Amino acid sequence: QESLSGKGVAAFFVFDWQIQFADQKQEFNKRPTKIGRRSLSRSISQSSTDSYGSVYSQIAASYTDSSDDETSPRDKQQKNSKGNGDFCIKNIKQADFGRREIEIAEQEMPALMALRKRAQGEKPLAGAKVVGCTHITAQTAVLMETLSALGAQCRWAACNIYSTQNEVAAALAEGGFSVFAWKGESEDDFWWCIDRCVNLEGWQPNMILDDGGDLTHWIYKKYPNMFKKIKGIVEESVTGVHRLYQLSKAGKLCVPAMNVNDSVTKQKFDNLYCCRESILDGLKRTTDVMFGGKQVVVCGYGEVGKGCCAALKAMGSIVYVTEIDPICALQACMDGFRLVKLSEVIRQVDIVITCTGNKNVVVREYLDRMKNGCIVCNMGHSNTEIDVASLRTPELTWERVRSQVDHVIWPDGKRIVLLAEGRLLNLSCSTVPTFVLSITATTQALALIELYNAPEGRYKQDVYLLPKKMDEYVASLHLPTFDAHLTELSDEQAKYLGLNKNGPFKPNYYR
Amino acid sequence: QESLSGKGVAAFFVFDWQIQFADQKQEFNKRPTKIGRRSLSRSISQSSTDSYGSVYSQIAASYTDSSDDETSPRDKQQKNSKGNGDFCIKNIKQADFGRREIEIAEQEMPALMALRKRAQGEKPLAGAKVVGCTHITAQTAVLMETLSALGAQCRWAACNIYSTQNEVAAALAEGGFSVFAWKGESEDDFWWCIDRCVNLEGWQPNMILDDGGDLTHWIYKKYPNMFKKIKGIVEESVTGVHRLYQLSKAGKLCVPAMNVNDSVTKQKFDNLYCCRESILDGLKRTTDVMFGGKQVVVCGYGEVGKGCCAALKAMGSIVYVTEIDPICALQACMDGFRLVKLSEVIRQVDIVITCTGNKNVVVREYLDRMKNGCIVCNMGHSNTEIDVASLRTPELTWERVRSQVDHVIWPDGKRIVLLAEGRLLNLSCSTVPTFVLSITATTQALALIELYNAPEGRYKQDVYLLPKKMDEYVASLHLPTFDAHLTELSDEQAKYLGLNKNGPFKPNYYR
Amino acid sequence: QESLSGKGVAAFFVFDWQIQFADQKQEFNKRPTKIGRRSLSRSISQSSTDSYGSVYSQIAASYTDSSDDETSPRDKQQKNSKGNGDFCIKNIKQADFGRREIEIAEQEMPALMALRKRAQGEKPLAGAKVVGCTHITAQTAVLMETLSALGAQCRWAACNIYSTQNEVAAALAEGGFSVFAWKGESEDDFWWCIDRCVNLEGWQPNMILDDGGDLTHWIYKKYPNMFKKIKGIVEESVTGVHRLYQLSKAGKLCVPAMNVNDSVTKQKFDNLYCCRESILDGLKRTTDVMFGGKQVVVCGYGEVGKGCCAALKAMGSIVYVTEIDPICALQACMDGFRLVKLSEVIRQVDIVITCTGNKNVVVREYLDRMKNGCIVCNMGHSNTEIDVASLRTPELTWERVRSQVDHVIWPDGKRIVLLAEGRLLNLSCSTVPTFVLSITATTQALALIELYNAPEGRYKQDVYLLPKKMDEYVASLHLPTFDAHLTELSDEQAKYLGLNKNGPFKPNYYR
Amino acid sequence: QESLSGKGVAAFFVFDWQIQFADQKQEFNKRPTKIGRRSLSRSISQSSTDSYGSVYSQIAASYTDSSDDETSPRDKQQKNSKGNGDFCIKNIKQADFGRREIEIAEQEMPALMALRKRAQGEKPLAGAKVVGCTHITAQTAVLMETLSALGAQCRWAACNIYSTQNEVAAALAEGGFSVFAWKGESEDDFWWCIDRCVNLEGWQPNMILDDGGDLTHWIYKKYPNMFKKIKGIVEESVTGVHRLYQLSKAGKLCVPAMNVNDSVTKQKFDNLYCCRESILDGLKRTTDVMFGGKQVVVCGYGEVGKGCCAALKAMGSIVYVTEIDPICALQACMDGFRLVKLSEVIRQVDIVITCTGNKNVVVREYLDRMKNGCIVCNMGHSNTEIDVASLRTPELTWERVRSQVDHVIWPDGKRIVLLAEGRLLNLSCSTVPTFVLSITATTQALALIELYNAPEGRYKQDVYLLPKKMDEYVASLHLPTFDAHLTELSDEQAKYLGLNKNGPFKPNYYR
């Protein structure tokens, strides 16, 4: 343990730990990605103590039995129909209902199903002992059952105290998975569940699948020797990846880690394609606003901003863009958007949307100058972009008009319509399509396969991006959904291009 | 240094050399970029022996005095009004006319003009002796006069035997530049001009600005010792860059080289933004086709393909896409294009456009199956994509119906409309906007400044991309054209993001 | 006049009457508009016996006090704070809450507010006694209070037994309006309320504002003599307009009537602009489907179809169109959509949308051939387009998965996702923006003013479209919402064009 | 004559006549359409004395033998190969070349070819003697030969002194048509040719096909008795239609006339679809401007404006709109364009485009305020929109930089780029696709068939629009070009909609 992580790491994490629960969001906000990208799943995780923040919690809520008994799952003794009791969930009796949810999800995750089928013969994960910590939803269940079909043993905890779908957890437990998770865990429960996943006599994980870095952190802190057997970490979230890079920089990363957050395919879907649709959906569900003719300013023209702008332009809005990066700014110009400073248009716009990954982009000064009825929302990273705190002053009145919708009222009667209290609109007020989650889950599965099967020496104690070829494979598994037919290179063409016929087709840096 | 430029390199180039003039185009076609990108300027260069292929030659042609004397410039003794005769051009008397051309170009190249202004005080190129080999056009003249304003001495030759604007060369000579170029050089003239640039007693270049690699090659071959004083090479073309990477791989690159072809800003403009417009322009000018309702297949969904597809979709065409790369294929799906194999739609489409960078994408088999009146053209790299040679068989009749437009007629009367004989449509049948050339020229200027001023050790004997920060600077210099207002980071925000307030704002690999 | 409203009419309406409640929907479906247009409001009315069908009922439901007393309003004696009891509503105590709703609606109906202001001095409706029968919502309240401000007296009933917002009715009653309406009327209540509006001693209406024709019908049937004093009818719905044209054709229309349903501005907003947004909203809220890459067939390329196609194309769907009218078909081609027969694409599409105004467009045969997971919905006129009845057979299982979403399951497990049981998606699963309702309400107000003030002889006993000039005035009143600045003709220009400077600017048939 | 038209008409036309040649353009400009619509063909005709204005003349110019003999065709005696000499054209020897032009045009005019085929059996024009006055181009030849195939005899003159394609006229003469037209007629020639068409012993026309009204005028003036045998006039141009309406209003129209200019299909293609493409083409060919990021103001949001705006928006321009009509203005808002007064944006825009049909939209005051390099052009009706005359003042310098491109230079050096001297950009600097001309020609043919075959009494001495059903037929004949498959109504559906299965499908006023 000492040799592996030493005091430095411990110190790092102790520090980390302490402020984490003091103010978890603050903590995460201190560690933004430098490049303004965002992770759908970690963003969920960030609002893990916020019962309103997560779509998963909303969805899950609909399945909650209102007459639910209040006994903690930790105090209940349950067994599945085969007599197995190595799990801790809300209610094993919900298994049938959860199974149906999983079956529906399977239909929309053809890539994982194809993976099961194709790789079944070879069992590329035979011998793998995967410990996972992610949202526990029907989509995750499809992933877990795929890993199992590929040969892996799995033990799983939730990465968010609210997002677990209890009936899915029940179906997994009934299916023989050791799941430790329920909706509405306490912080103590949270770590207890993680501990139950890893701390089992006679079983040691050799792969980690993490979403947010909490599982990795726990093993570093409590069971550092466990890393001796671990072949690699697959990490999904912006924050978790950030932590890994810090560990690596500090020379304290002791196994290879795969950053799946930044794989090309996943990024495009999480940001550009998903947000292009969810900006419209989120605004409509909350405000019923008509887009045609509205003046909108979008702060930030990265992938998220590009998606938002394209969608709103197509709906007949007049869109202005703000940017700090001249390259993205020039792209905004060429795409037909006026590039302005926020102060130039703040008095005239009907909608303000932030997607910068930055903090304090919309500050009180701007909020004061907005016109009556202006809608303000955030599609960027975390909840820092709009200075919501600045609105909590005595002269302003807050009125909750719908779930996720507040009117903030100025003394002169002016109302600002604030959505999701400045948290992510697309996670709070829209849904993440299963297809997008399918891309992520497939990426995770392939990253596990790659790390587990990589020959000695291919990966060192560092953080890696998914190899281009596997990224391409993720994409190719999703093409049948669109009845899309890929062209194959002839031998002659492959030779001409200097490429292998099966890819990779582009250099790693190609986006 | 000797070992570097020794026999190995010589051998490499001798080989290179021999086949180059045997079949220059073939030669270049053998060396595509692996990633399907393209260079506007080098593509021009590729058709350097093709008098129909270049817009520049067409434009220049309009200025040609029809009663032009036929004396070779090499046989004439000319002096400018100050008595200086260190140049070789067509006719010094055209200088006034050329000056007007340059002045018009200046108005559309605000970034270079800004660079002149901003950097004037500091003269960052003071002491630089730049030898250049590029197209000699009004835009290049603006670049050269900017380099001069920044402190550099310049000697220049043409990279293409047809593209020189004689009157611009005259204006440059009148202005004191040592220019060696005219429209319609022979191959012997071509190398003679290059030699005159570098081989001057008492003057040795310390910077190379090349477009296609011919100048670099000449110095390697003839004056390898010259590299001792050379601080760096700036190369603009796909082919030239490819050569440099080969040299580097072979350990024979003896100075730092800057690959300006692949800078983000330049790429976006050369490919996406430029082609989005030129595909429409090229098709209209040649065929007057109405786009609405037409079925079009676009082969390749890289930046060029994306531009073509977006433009045609907007004009009401129904667009199909073929791809080999599943990641690009998935993007095509999400952008609303059916992904097909060419054989699926070849019988029904009205227009076929290639933009793959590959060879033999449209082969005779497909051409045989196209319907009557189908238009076939190429927007990709070089002229290999359509197998035009396969159409030169006895049973097919060729009919030239307009400049750049051939009808190829099958025995049953079916006509295929072939544009630009399969060469690049956007260069043959459209024009490159000065704004796009401004981006390129500014990138070249900044690359020269960077290499010339870089502290010892920053650049080794390798090929580099333009630093992100300078790429951003190129972009920022072009924003005023659009009256675009960039937002500046506050100190607090910069700290939060871990960025310098002046950039770079994104990691190098961000595109 | 007797001859007009004599037995013939009575017979007509008796017939009408009898089948109306036998099968109201069937009845309405027998009378489609010939041109496939649709009325938002009447479409609501059509599903007046369907408690799930109306957005208004859903919205209103949220305000319903769950501990509501069950006493019928007809059995309660209520008075407003001024002691006035000439109304019949659910609960006068809800007036404050309703007032707030009205105030919010006022902010989004600037045209009516402007009308109040501009016309205040002149009181163009002074002396008007308007009896109305429409949905009773906050937007209607803004209309009624505007009519009042213009000088009119108003008595009002609901045109739909479910759509009344009780608290708005309360606010109106408190404000002195004689309102007879509540959410959840019986059919007997419905006619009782209408009767209370018109049958008042010492008060006779001289204007009718109707939505669906029920009020007009009641007066024809019960109080035909009342028409002697009535200056005109303003009718809003497709069905009501259809009835009026039938009356007119039969020579039995005894007063002028204004068809506001077909005014240009209203049509564009109800159909093109509103549906462009609501198709996305309706699909997202019900199915969370991702649009990118989906194959969609839209049946019908009228205004509604154009809106749906444009929106889905912009979101990255691949859209096919079916049409019967070659002119609309050619437009679909020129807009970039493949024109197909439904049978050609039914096996491959992911979403089927009907907007034809026709019946049995999607029949069982097509439903049998759809692929698993195909979404089927209707955006057209009424609920006839999808043959839902054909799905009610024993071998198919229906599963309600969400409000408004049914899975219809074939014996082989194939599931079709049927939305809103084939009723109008945009009314059942989306909302009508207040801005669209503002256009309608303003059109109604101007039609009342026109009919009331028209000089003798301008309007005969016939059905009229709103004069172009007033249609233009409706539009102009809504321009300030977009901070839009209209250009005015100079005298010279008006003369050149042969136009009055204040319009109308186009001939009546211009669309 | 007296009985038919009386002194009033004579006076009208004498007046007309006198000013017509004094200043033909002025005259035509005095008679704009009231609704801002435009006719492609008449716009050509309007500039009939302007050798730069017509595409046809440009195209035709390319076929002109430079060594052409200068003898007037009127002084030559020519016969075709069958010995027939009843024609007057430039050179009968060009017939083969013209035939090839006609054959190429046939391929792009499938509707006329289908009409030949379908109607061949019945010869619906048997006995028709058509006298025509239109542009004489390959497309017209396809029309004439179709009329002939349908049974008609034809005699033809040119409606424009420059637009005749001599080789096409030769092919027609060789084919037996009595054609009187050549490129470069004098005004005297123009009327002589028309007279030769109608004034033939033993032959009297019974149908008139006119484009501009000159032929109709000539017959009214010279041979009024001829109208006794004439069954109808088909008129194509805005101006000609305007004259007919004036005649009708004055009670002096003595035969039915068909206004084919305003048929729905033709209008959509002439204006919306054609201009959507030609605005880009016209701007590119003249200025090579890059559209991305440019600020553009489009004056007028009718069909032409809508087409221009949609195209430029799609290319990444930022588009502002001016309008006088609030309904069109509101549409511009909903389509995402800022509605402004010209004065608000005139200083900042890069391009100004007029499409209002109005006069003096861009006046000197605005031209003075434009920024350096601003491009100004006209897509609307005639050449009145830009006050070009105001630029012909001593302090401004004009510089012709290309064909159709003038730089107007202010004393301070500011340059305005004026295209086509304010005439129609799409006719001067782009081409009209044959497909658009095919729509027009098919409409003309069907109008002739309708008028010729209409039962007594269907048409009175008035101006009619083409019946909806025939308009639909024109559209349906063009669908095969797009491989478009129309859906047919079932009997049950037709009954439900109250429609005939074969149309018309919409009321006449539906657009």
Side-chain angles (χ1 to χ4, degrees), chain A residues 59 322 510:
Chain A
I59 293 169
T322 73
Y510 186 87

Side-chain angles (χ1 to χ4, degrees), chain A residues 284 290-292 314-315, chain C residues 36-40 43 266-283 291 298 300 302-312 353-355 377-381 424-427 430-433 436, chain D residues 334:
Chain A
K284 272 287 189 207
M290 193 169 199
F291 300 123
M315 287 294 109
Chain C
R37 300 217 178 120
R38 12 186 322 289
S39 156
L40 292 181
S43 299
K266 181 183 173 300
Q267 280 282 323
K268 282 275 177 194
F269 274 83
D270 273 15
N271 298 342
L272 180 63
Y273 300 127
C274 191
C275 293
R276 182 175 65 182
E277 304 195 2
S278 59
I279 182 63
L280 302 183
D281 189 32
L283 285 169
F291 300 123
V298 174
E303 295 286 313
V304 177
K306 285 181 175 80
C308 293
C309 287
L312 289 163
I353 301 166
T354 56
C355 12
C377 66
N378 172 36
M379 292 285 289
H381 174 67
L424 283 170
L425 179 72
N426 56 332
L427 295 182
S430 176
T431 56
V432 181
V436 173
Chain D
M334 296 306 293

Side-chain angles (χ1 to χ4, degrees), chain C residues 29 35 334 344 485 487 496 507, chain D residues 29 35 323 344 485 496 507:
Chain C
N29 293 341
I35 53 164
M334 296 306 291
E344 295 176 63
H485 305 157
T487 301
Y496 175 74
Chain D
N29 293 341
I35 53 165
E323 247 300 340
E344 295 175 64
H485 305 157
Y496 175 75

